[in-house]
Amino acid sequence: MSLPSTTSPQARFKGLWLPLVTPFLPGDETAVDHEALRALVQHYNATGIAGYVACGSTAEAAALSEAEHDAALSTILSAAQGMPVVMGVSDCHLGHALARVQTLNALPLAGILVPAPHYIRPSQAGLLQWFTTIAERSAHPVIIYDIPYRTGVVLELATLRALAAHERIVAIKDCGGDAAKTQALIADGQLQVLAGEDAQIFSTLALGGAGAIAASAHAHTRHFVELMQCLERGDLPAARALWQPLQPHIAACFAEPNPAPIKALLAQQGRMRATLRAPMQPASAALAQRLAGIQLPQLPSADGVAERRSA
């Protein structure tokens, strides 16, 4: 039996969503640094982002236990002070995924972010069953996470169009790498399309996409926010002027496996330690230096005075 829909025509996943990293304490047995996580969220609350994604791939969620997921989510919800939070739900066992969804139903989430089951590589019919069954059990809107290089399976356009008919499947984080499919989904208007590849933010939004879930926006956050606002109002010259200087930063953030470069940059800013959970390794010293050296043009503040640095 399906649950009543919590989705409405006003429910939108627009703008910039930040897929939060997970800070760890130092030591052989790393533990989540909740103090740093709380401070990180409180910092981003004032940057103009639309909301947060908790326990996604940037959070090293696959290396966290369910108890750690719960604790991190609790910290984020508390620190977000009412800002929307989407929770990642990733599994390859449908029963486990449904049990997780049932637990999350009681929490004040904006939605859940759900990829295809990893390793299984089901058929398109199996993918329809996977996402539909989860959506039927969820009290929250569902964002499809289309990321074939992690799951090993491609969500075909026909499958996504069929899933878009479900009242609780409302958006897609698009890491599919298929420009024609992206354009078709935007033209359909049935799913809100969020750029999941940071290098595709400009093109996705210029085509009419709703926003982005962007790991590189942990730094220069206000530049990303202003970029999206320019694109939304159709000011392409201003958007280009913001976008071009962001290219070296985005490229550096993914020059080594995510989220090591982002954690290195945040550590340089004093916001957290650069610790990662094995087998992830810290960013190289050369890349950390490269990231630290990237400077962006100043943005005007609300009173017209240029800000010295971007969040």
Side-chain angles (χ1 to χ4, degrees), residues 280-305:
M280 292 295 291
Q281 298 295 304
S284 65
L287 181 57
Q289 184 176 9
R290 174 181 160 191
L291 282 160
I294 295 171
Q295 300 295 320
L296 269 64
Q298 294 176 337
L299 290 176
S301 64
D303 59 5
V305 178

Side-chain angles (χ1 to χ4, degrees), residues 86-145:
V86 167
M87 180 64 173
V89 177
S90 178
D91 213 309
C92 60
H93 185 291
L94 183 57
H96 294 167
L98 293 176
R100 187 67 180 143
V101 167
Q102 184 67 35
T103 300
L104 296 174
N105 281 345
L107 299 177
L109 298 174
I112 58 174
L113 178 65
V114 183
H118 53 271
Y119 189 79
I120 302 296
R121 300 183 65 191
S123 66
Q124 296 301 301
L127 291 168
L128 278 168
Q129 180 190 32
W130 174 266
F131 285 104
T132 300
T133 305
I134 289 173
E136 287 293 311
R137 297 286 187 90
S138 177
H140 303 298
V142 174
I143 304 171
I144 295 171
Y145 190 178

Side-chain angles (χ1 to χ4, degrees), residues 218-239:
H218 276 86
H220 307 299
T221 313
R222 290 189 179 92
H223 284 78
F224 282 94
V225 170
E226 180 65 23
L227 165 72
M228 293 186 186
Q229 291 173 349
C230 288
L231 287 167
E232 185 175 9
R233 62 178 179 260
D235 189 347
L236 288 179

